[in-house]
Amino acid sequence: MSDGVKLTASASYLPPHVVTNDELSQIMDTSDEWIQAHTGIKTRHYAINEDSSEMAAKVAAKLLSQSKLSADEIDLIIVSTISPDALTPSTAALVQKQIGAKNAFAYDLSAACAGFIFAYSTADKFLHSPQYNKAMVISVENNSKMMDFKDRTSAVFFGDGAAGVILEKKDNQTDSLLAEDLATDGNFEAVNSGRIAPLTEVSGNYYPQAKAFYQDGPAVFNFVTTTVINHMKKFMQTNHLKPDEIDLVIPHQANLRLLEKISEGLEIPLEKFAVNVDYAGNTSSVGIPLALSTELAAGKRPHKALLTGFGAGLVYGSLLLDLSDY
């Protein structure tokens, strides 16, 4: 048996400041009743005076403690985020410094709400090469700092947090990752964040400014209920998976109504879905690893776990994991 890449640790962090729907209704034209009816979201966490790198470093410390690894044993750190501390340096580089992972190379990956899926897949490929043995994959989002709080169609959805995993090469073991499928369908108009307009003239008055998060709700809903559900169905068919053979489904935590649509489309009961959007909001790329960490901490050991992310790009992708020996 050849060496396998195993998921050996999983951890998460939510900032302590909780924001209720009633609080948001004080600054925008909305209500707890409207938000819950349309999204299923009750609360979300906001990072107050806390950078993305700080949240990610807290997850990294938990991962090292759980795996009993030292920071200098880590070869690679990938951070998936669309709300970094800055365009450069990368958030991953700041995490590498904060935890003292002196032997690791580190970089950010931008794939929006599918970021964890893309980052996990990328780290897995590095570890299947002879050069690398241990990788840290962390998703972190500071969505609140990118919100226009006059735009209730977007601002009520999003929350902040971080979560991640450690992947390790193990002698004579099977891979945790059984199958994957990643895809991109370029569409700038549906979802975008942090746009910086090009220079129009050389002027002393010019100063770069990033625009707030924007999403076209109906376009996103159509994307999920057609493209994403069809992708998940095809992924299951390709891997000869029947709905009753899936032990756990961890989709991007967009909103509860979309999770209900996915459950209906796949004919997999919602009881098999990991859900955190009700208390954490839409945490972009963090939702999937946050749910994974919660399920594993609760003692779940799924033989077949289906993880599917989808978001701005438009990007989407699925992983099939065997975590029965976690």
mmCIF file of all heavy atoms in Angstrom, residues 43-81:
data_model
loop_
_atom_site.group_PDB
_atom_site.id
_atom_site.type_symbol
_atom_site.label_atom_id
_atom_site.label_comp_id
_atom_site.label_asym_id
_atom_site.label_seq_id
_atom_site.Cartn_x
_atom_site.Cartn_y
_atom_site.Cartn_z
ATOM 1 N N THR A 43 -28.483 34.615 14.103
ATOM 2 C CA THR A 43 -27.361 35.421 14.599
ATOM 3 C C THR A 43 -26.168 35.233 13.686
ATOM 4 O O THR A 43 -26.135 34.332 12.842
ATOM 5 C CB THR A 43 -26.949 35.008 16.028
ATOM 6 O OG1 THR A 43 -26.545 33.627 16.022
ATOM 7 C CG2 THR A 43 -28.086 35.211 17.015
ATOM 8 N N ARG A 44 -25.167 36.069 13.878
ATOM 9 C CA ARG A 44 -23.886 35.928 13.207
ATOM 10 C C ARG A 44 -22.823 36.549 14.115
ATOM 11 O O ARG A 44 -23.146 37.332 15.022
ATOM 12 C CB ARG A 44 -23.864 36.562 11.813
ATOM 13 C CG ARG A 44 -23.845 38.065 11.747
ATOM 14 C CD ARG A 44 -25.158 38.731 12.023
ATOM 15 N NE ARG A 44 -26.170 38.445 10.998
ATOM 16 C CZ ARG A 44 -27.445 38.331 11.261
ATOM 17 N NH1 ARG A 44 -27.903 38.479 12.504
ATOM 18 N NH2 ARG A 44 -28.319 38.085 10.311
ATOM 19 N N HIS A 45 -21.556 36.203 13.879
ATOM 20 C CA HIS A 45 -20.456 36.727 14.685
ATOM 21 C C HIS A 45 -19.666 37.750 13.867
ATOM 22 O O HIS A 45 -19.370 37.505 12.694
ATOM 23 C CB HIS A 45 -19.517 35.592 15.116
ATOM 24 C CG HIS A 45 -20.145 34.607 16.052
ATOM 25 N ND1 HIS A 45 -19.727 34.444 17.348
ATOM 26 C CD2 HIS A 45 -21.164 33.718 15.875
ATOM 27 C CE1 HIS A 45 -20.454 33.507 17.940
ATOM 28 N NE2 HIS A 45 -21.341 33.049 17.063
ATOM 29 N N TYR A 46 -19.323 38.878 14.504
ATOM 30 C CA TYR A 46 -18.520 39.904 13.850
ATOM 31 C C TYR A 46 -17.169 40.033 14.559
ATOM 32 O O TYR A 46 -17.101 40.036 15.797
ATOM 33 C CB TYR A 46 -19.217 41.258 13.886
ATOM 34 C CG TYR A 46 -20.335 41.440 12.870
ATOM 35 C CD1 TYR A 46 -21.085 42.608 12.872
ATOM 36 C CD2 TYR A 46 -20.634 40.471 11.917
ATOM 37 C CE1 TYR A 46 -22.114 42.811 11.960
ATOM 38 C CE2 TYR A 46 -21.658 40.655 11.013
ATOM 39 C CZ TYR A 46 -22.407 41.825 11.034
ATOM 40 O OH TYR A 46 -23.420 42.014 10.132
ATOM 41 N N ALA A 47 -16.120 40.164 13.755
ATOM 42 C CA ALA A 47 -14.772 40.363 14.286
ATOM 43 C C ALA A 47 -14.568 41.854 14.554
ATOM 44 O O ALA A 47 -14.353 42.625 13.619
ATOM 45 C CB ALA A 47 -13.738 39.848 13.296
ATOM 46 N N ILE A 48 -14.648 42.244 15.803
ATOM 47 C CA ILE A 48 -14.449 43.636 16.194
ATOM 48 C C ILE A 48 -12.985 43.837 16.571
ATOM 49 O O ILE A 48 -12.464 43.173 17.466
ATOM 50 C CB ILE A 48 -15.363 44.018 17.379
ATOM 51 C CG1 ILE A 48 -16.834 43.713 17.052
ATOM 52 C CG2 ILE A 48 -15.178 45.488 17.744
ATOM 53 C CD1 ILE A 48 -17.395 44.482 15.876
ATOM 54 N N ASN A 49 -12.318 44.741 15.872
ATOM 55 C CA ASN A 49 -10.892 45.015 16.111
ATOM 56 C C ASN A 49 -10.041 43.743 16.025
ATOM 57 O O ASN A 49 -9.090 43.557 16.790
ATOM 58 C CB ASN A 49 -10.684 45.685 17.481
ATOM 59 C CG ASN A 49 -11.322 47.056 17.552
ATOM 60 O OD1 ASN A 49 -11.236 47.843 16.610
ATOM 61 N ND2 ASN A 49 -11.990 47.352 18.658
ATOM 62 N N GLU A 50 -10.396 42.870 15.092
ATOM 63 C CA GLU A 50 -9.666 41.607 14.933
ATOM 64 C C GLU A 50 -9.473 41.339 13.445
ATOM 65 O O GLU A 50 -10.441 41.280 12.686
ATOM 66 C CB GLU A 50 -10.441 40.471 15.592
ATOM 67 C CG GLU A 50 -9.674 39.168 15.687
ATOM 68 C CD GLU A 50 -10.400 38.132 16.541
ATOM 69 O OE1 GLU A 50 -11.625 38.252 16.729
ATOM 70 O OE2 GLU A 50 -9.732 37.208 17.020
ATOM 71 N N ASP A 51 -8.220 41.192 13.036
ATOM 72 C CA ASP A 51 -7.909 40.945 11.632
ATOM 73 C C ASP A 51 -8.124 39.477 11.265
ATOM 74 O O ASP A 51 -8.169 38.596 12.126
ATOM 75 C CB ASP A 51 -6.451 41.311 11.341
ATOM 76 C CG ASP A 51 -6.228 42.814 11.252
ATOM 77 O OD1 ASP A 51 -7.161 43.524 10.854
ATOM 78 O OD2 ASP A 51 -5.118 43.259 11.580
ATOM 79 N N SER A 52 -8.205 39.240 9.956
ATOM 80 C CA SER A 52 -8.334 37.867 9.463
ATOM 81 C C SER A 52 -7.152 37.013 9.903
ATOM 82 O O SER A 52 -7.325 35.857 10.295
ATOM 83 C CB SER A 52 -8.431 37.870 7.930
ATOM 84 O OG SER A 52 -9.603 38.510 7.495
ATOM 85 N N SER A 53 -5.954 37.559 9.840
ATOM 86 C CA SER A 53 -4.762 36.789 10.220
ATOM 87 C C SER A 53 -4.801 36.376 11.689
ATOM 88 O O SER A 53 -4.338 35.280 12.047
ATOM 89 C CB SER A 53 -3.493 37.587 9.935
ATOM 90 O OG SER A 53 -3.479 38.795 10.671
ATOM 91 N N GLU A 54 -5.369 37.222 12.544
ATOM 92 C CA GLU A 54 -5.468 36.882 13.958
ATOM 93 C C GLU A 54 -6.424 35.712 14.170
ATOM 94 O O GLU A 54 -6.133 34.795 14.961
ATOM 95 C CB GLU A 54 -5.938 38.093 14.758
ATOM 96 C CG GLU A 54 -4.955 39.246 14.798
ATOM 97 C CD GLU A 54 -5.521 40.445 15.535
ATOM 98 O OE1 GLU A 54 -5.404 40.475 16.774
ATOM 99 O OE2 GLU A 54 -6.089 41.342 14.887
ATOM 100 N N MET A 55 -7.567 35.750 13.499
ATOM 101 C CA MET A 55 -8.522 34.642 13.620
ATOM 102 C C MET A 55 -7.920 33.352 13.079
ATOM 103 O O MET A 55 -8.040 32.286 13.692
ATOM 104 C CB MET A 55 -9.822 34.982 12.889
ATOM 105 C CG MET A 55 -10.630 36.087 13.528
ATOM 106 S SD MET A 55 -12.299 36.238 12.825
ATOM 107 C CE MET A 55 -11.928 37.022 11.247
ATOM 108 N N ALA A 56 -7.256 33.444 11.931
ATOM 109 C CA ALA A 56 -6.650 32.256 11.330
ATOM 110 C C ALA A 56 -5.545 31.688 12.213
ATOM 111 O O ALA A 56 -5.397 30.461 12.343
ATOM 112 C CB ALA A 56 -6.108 32.590 9.945
ATOM 113 N N ALA A 57 -4.772 32.563 12.842
ATOM 114 C CA ALA A 57 -3.692 32.098 13.721
ATOM 115 C C ALA A 57 -4.242 31.373 14.946
ATOM 116 O O ALA A 57 -3.610 30.428 15.453
ATOM 117 C CB ALA A 57 -2.819 33.275 14.149
ATOM 118 N N LYS A 58 -5.406 31.793 15.428
ATOM 119 C CA LYS A 58 -6.028 31.099 16.558
ATOM 120 C C LYS A 58 -6.436 29.684 16.161
ATOM 121 O O LYS A 58 -6.280 28.737 16.946
ATOM 122 C CB LYS A 58 -7.227 31.896 17.059
ATOM 123 C CG LYS A 58 -6.837 33.175 17.789
ATOM 124 C CD LYS A 58 -8.033 34.030 18.163
ATOM 125 C CE LYS A 58 -7.572 35.302 18.864
ATOM 126 N NZ LYS A 58 -8.684 36.226 19.184
ATOM 127 N N VAL A 59 -6.940 29.527 14.952
ATOM 128 C CA VAL A 59 -7.264 28.184 14.458
ATOM 129 C C VAL A 59 -5.992 27.369 14.281
ATOM 130 O O VAL A 59 -5.935 26.187 14.639
ATOM 131 C CB VAL A 59 -8.051 28.264 13.130
ATOM 132 C CG1 VAL A 59 -8.153 26.893 12.469
ATOM 133 C CG2 VAL A 59 -9.438 28.835 13.369
ATOM 134 N N ALA A 60 -4.950 27.994 13.743
ATOM 135 C CA ALA A 60 -3.679 27.296 13.541
ATOM 136 C C ALA A 60 -3.123 26.762 14.860
ATOM 137 O O ALA A 60 -2.642 25.631 14.935
ATOM 138 C CB ALA A 60 -2.670 28.239 12.882
ATOM 139 N N ALA A 61 -3.210 27.563 15.914
ATOM 140 C CA ALA A 61 -2.721 27.123 17.226
ATOM 141 C C ALA A 61 -3.519 25.929 17.733
ATOM 142 O O ALA A 61 -2.960 24.982 18.304
ATOM 143 C CB ALA A 61 -2.796 28.278 18.226
ATOM 144 N N LYS A 62 -4.836 25.963 17.523
ATOM 145 C CA LYS A 62 -5.676 24.829 17.924
ATOM 146 C C LYS A 62 -5.311 23.572 17.149
ATOM 147 O O LYS A 62 -5.270 22.467 17.707
ATOM 148 C CB LYS A 62 -7.152 25.162 17.702
ATOM 149 C CG LYS A 62 -7.745 26.186 18.651
ATOM 150 C CD LYS A 62 -9.233 26.373 18.359
ATOM 151 C CE LYS A 62 -9.885 27.349 19.308
ATOM 152 N NZ LYS A 62 -11.346 27.496 19.044
ATOM 153 N N LEU A 63 -5.052 23.739 15.861
ATOM 154 C CA LEU A 63 -4.703 22.586 15.026
ATOM 155 C C LEU A 63 -3.388 21.957 15.477
ATOM 156 O O LEU A 63 -3.254 20.730 15.529
ATOM 157 C CB LEU A 63 -4.609 23.010 13.560
ATOM 158 C CG LEU A 63 -5.920 23.381 12.872
ATOM 159 C CD1 LEU A 63 -5.660 24.010 11.505
ATOM 160 C CD2 LEU A 63 -6.824 22.161 12.719
ATOM 161 N N LEU A 64 -2.411 22.786 15.796
ATOM 162 C CA LEU A 64 -1.119 22.259 16.265
ATOM 163 C C LEU A 64 -1.288 21.528 17.585
ATOM 164 O O LEU A 64 -0.718 20.446 17.787
ATOM 165 C CB LEU A 64 -0.113 23.400 16.411
ATOM 166 C CG LEU A 64 0.350 24.069 15.112
ATOM 167 C CD1 LEU A 64 1.241 25.264 15.427
ATOM 168 C CD2 LEU A 64 1.079 23.076 14.212
ATOM 169 N N SER A 65 -2.081 22.088 18.486
ATOM 170 C CA SER A 65 -2.311 21.450 19.779
ATOM 171 C C SER A 65 -3.018 20.110 19.611
ATOM 172 O O SER A 65 -2.634 19.107 20.238
ATOM 173 C CB SER A 65 -3.143 22.376 20.672
ATOM 174 O OG SER A 65 -3.477 21.748 21.892
ATOM 175 N N GLN A 66 -4.020 20.095 18.758
ATOM 176 C CA GLN A 66 -4.798 18.874 18.560
ATOM 177 C C GLN A 66 -3.970 17.778 17.906
ATOM 178 O O GLN A 66 -4.091 16.595 18.265
ATOM 179 C CB GLN A 66 -6.017 19.209 17.694
ATOM 180 C CG GLN A 66 -7.014 18.077 17.546
ATOM 181 C CD GLN A 66 -8.166 18.456 16.634
ATOM 182 O OE1 GLN A 66 -8.525 17.730 15.713
ATOM 183 N NE2 GLN A 66 -8.761 19.605 16.876
ATOM 184 N N SER A 67 -3.137 18.154 16.942
ATOM 185 C CA SER A 67 -2.350 17.158 16.198
ATOM 186 C C SER A 67 -1.049 16.791 16.898
ATOM 187 O O SER A 67 -0.359 15.859 16.480
ATOM 188 C CB SER A 67 -2.021 17.701 14.806
ATOM 189 O OG SER A 67 -1.208 18.863 14.904
ATOM 190 N N LYS A 68 -0.710 17.572 17.962
ATOM 191 C CA LYS A 68 0.548 17.374 18.694
ATOM 192 C C LYS A 68 1.773 17.561 17.785
ATOM 193 O O LYS A 68 2.812 16.915 17.968
ATOM 194 C CB LYS A 68 0.575 16.013 19.382
ATOM 195 C CG LYS A 68 -0.476 15.868 20.473
ATOM 196 C CD LYS A 68 -0.417 14.508 21.146
ATOM 197 C CE LYS A 68 -1.365 14.434 22.341
ATOM 198 N NZ LYS A 68 -2.765 14.768 22.014
ATOM 199 N N LEU A 69 1.623 18.470 16.825
ATOM 200 C CA LEU A 69 2.735 18.831 15.951
ATOM 201 C C LEU A 69 3.327 20.156 16.408
ATOM 202 O O LEU A 69 2.641 20.995 16.993
ATOM 203 C CB LEU A 69 2.247 18.976 14.501
ATOM 204 C CG LEU A 69 1.730 17.721 13.797
ATOM 205 C CD1 LEU A 69 1.169 18.092 12.431
ATOM 206 C CD2 LEU A 69 2.837 16.684 13.653
ATOM 207 N N SER A 70 4.593 20.350 16.126
ATOM 208 C CA SER A 70 5.208 21.655 16.352
ATOM 209 C C SER A 70 5.092 22.469 15.068
ATOM 210 O O SER A 70 4.986 21.910 13.968
ATOM 211 C CB SER A 70 6.677 21.504 16.744
ATOM 212 O OG SER A 70 7.404 20.887 15.706
ATOM 213 N N ALA A 71 5.115 23.783 15.196
ATOM 214 C CA ALA A 71 4.936 24.651 14.030
ATOM 215 C C ALA A 71 6.005 24.416 12.975
ATOM 216 O O ALA A 71 5.727 24.505 11.770
ATOM 217 C CB ALA A 71 4.932 26.115 14.470
ATOM 218 N N ASP A 72 7.221 24.089 13.384
ATOM 219 C CA ASP A 72 8.281 23.924 12.391
ATOM 220 C C ASP A 72 8.194 22.602 11.629
ATOM 221 O O ASP A 72 8.996 22.342 10.726
ATOM 222 C CB ASP A 72 9.672 24.103 13.017
ATOM 223 C CG ASP A 72 9.940 23.150 14.172
ATOM 224 O OD1 ASP A 72 9.165 22.195 14.351
ATOM 225 O OD2 ASP A 72 10.928 23.367 14.900
ATOM 226 N N GLU A 73 7.195 21.771 11.969
ATOM 227 C CA GLU A 73 6.965 20.541 11.201
ATOM 228 C C GLU A 73 6.040 20.778 10.004
ATOM 229 O O GLU A 73 5.917 19.905 9.141
ATOM 230 C CB GLU A 73 6.355 19.465 12.095
ATOM 231 C CG GLU A 73 7.269 18.922 13.160
ATOM 232 C CD GLU A 73 6.597 17.840 13.987
ATOM 233 O OE1 GLU A 73 6.687 16.648 13.623
ATOM 234 O OE2 GLU A 73 5.963 18.186 15.014
ATOM 235 N N ILE A 74 5.393 21.929 9.967
ATOM 236 C CA ILE A 74 4.457 22.225 8.879
ATOM 237 C C ILE A 74 5.238 22.660 7.638
ATOM 238 O O ILE A 74 6.090 23.547 7.699
ATOM 239 C CB ILE A 74 3.469 23.334 9.297
ATOM 240 C CG1 ILE A 74 2.692 22.917 10.549
ATOM 241 C CG2 ILE A 74 2.514 23.650 8.153
ATOM 242 C CD1 ILE A 74 1.860 21.676 10.394
ATOM 243 N N ASP A 75 4.924 22.020 6.498
ATOM 244 C CA ASP A 75 5.608 22.332 5.238
ATOM 245 C C ASP A 75 4.889 23.395 4.420
ATOM 246 O O ASP A 75 5.519 24.096 3.622
ATOM 247 C CB ASP A 75 5.722 21.064 4.372
ATOM 248 C CG ASP A 75 6.489 19.958 5.065
ATOM 249 O OD1 ASP A 75 7.626 20.220 5.493
ATOM 250 O OD2 ASP A 75 5.948 18.848 5.190
ATOM 251 N N LEU A 76 3.584 23.498 4.606
ATOM 252 C CA LEU A 76 2.766 24.319 3.712
ATOM 253 C C LEU A 76 1.571 24.872 4.469
ATOM 254 O O LEU A 76 0.936 24.149 5.236
ATOM 255 C CB LEU A 76 2.277 23.458 2.534
ATOM 256 C CG LEU A 76 1.097 23.943 1.690
ATOM 257 C CD1 LEU A 76 1.455 25.209 0.938
ATOM 258 C CD2 LEU A 76 0.665 22.842 0.727
ATOM 259 N N ILE A 77 1.277 26.156 4.272
ATOM 260 C CA ILE A 77 0.070 26.776 4.813
ATOM 261 C C ILE A 77 -0.685 27.438 3.675
ATOM 262 O O ILE A 77 -0.134 28.309 2.984
ATOM 263 C CB ILE A 77 0.401 27.838 5.885
ATOM 264 C CG1 ILE A 77 1.174 27.226 7.049
ATOM 265 C CG2 ILE A 77 -0.883 28.497 6.394
ATOM 266 C CD1 ILE A 77 1.721 28.263 8.033
ATOM 267 N N ILE A 78 -1.915 27.014 3.461
ATOM 268 C CA ILE A 78 -2.791 27.669 2.490
ATOM 269 C C ILE A 78 -3.952 28.280 3.254
ATOM 270 O O ILE A 78 -4.617 27.602 4.035
ATOM 271 C CB ILE A 78 -3.339 26.680 1.440
ATOM 272 C CG1 ILE A 78 -2.203 26.012 0.661
ATOM 273 C CG2 ILE A 78 -4.265 27.409 0.460
ATOM 274 C CD1 ILE A 78 -2.684 24.979 -0.352
ATOM 275 N N VAL A 79 -4.188 29.558 3.034
ATOM 276 C CA VAL A 79 -5.328 30.247 3.631
ATOM 277 C C VAL A 79 -6.295 30.636 2.512
ATOM 278 O O VAL A 79 -5.911 31.347 1.581
ATOM 279 C CB VAL A 79 -4.897 31.500 4.415
ATOM 280 C CG1 VAL A 79 -6.117 32.332 4.823
ATOM 281 C CG2 VAL A 79 -4.100 31.107 5.649
ATOM 282 N N SER A 80 -7.520 30.154 2.602
ATOM 283 C CA SER A 80 -8.543 30.573 1.646
ATOM 284 C C SER A 80 -9.313 31.733 2.258
ATOM 285 O O SER A 80 -9.791 31.646 3.389
ATOM 286 C CB SER A 80 -9.484 29.411 1.301
ATOM 287 O OG SER A 80 -10.396 29.142 2.342
ATOM 288 N N THR A 81 -9.405 32.829 1.502
ATOM 289 C CA THR A 81 -10.103 34.005 2.005
ATOM 290 C C THR A 81 -10.434 34.958 0.869
ATOM 291 O O THR A 81 -9.700 35.026 -0.127
ATOM 292 C CB THR A 81 -9.260 34.742 3.063
ATOM 293 O OG1 THR A 81 -10.011 35.829 3.616
ATOM 294 C CG2 THR A 81 -7.950 35.260 2.498
#
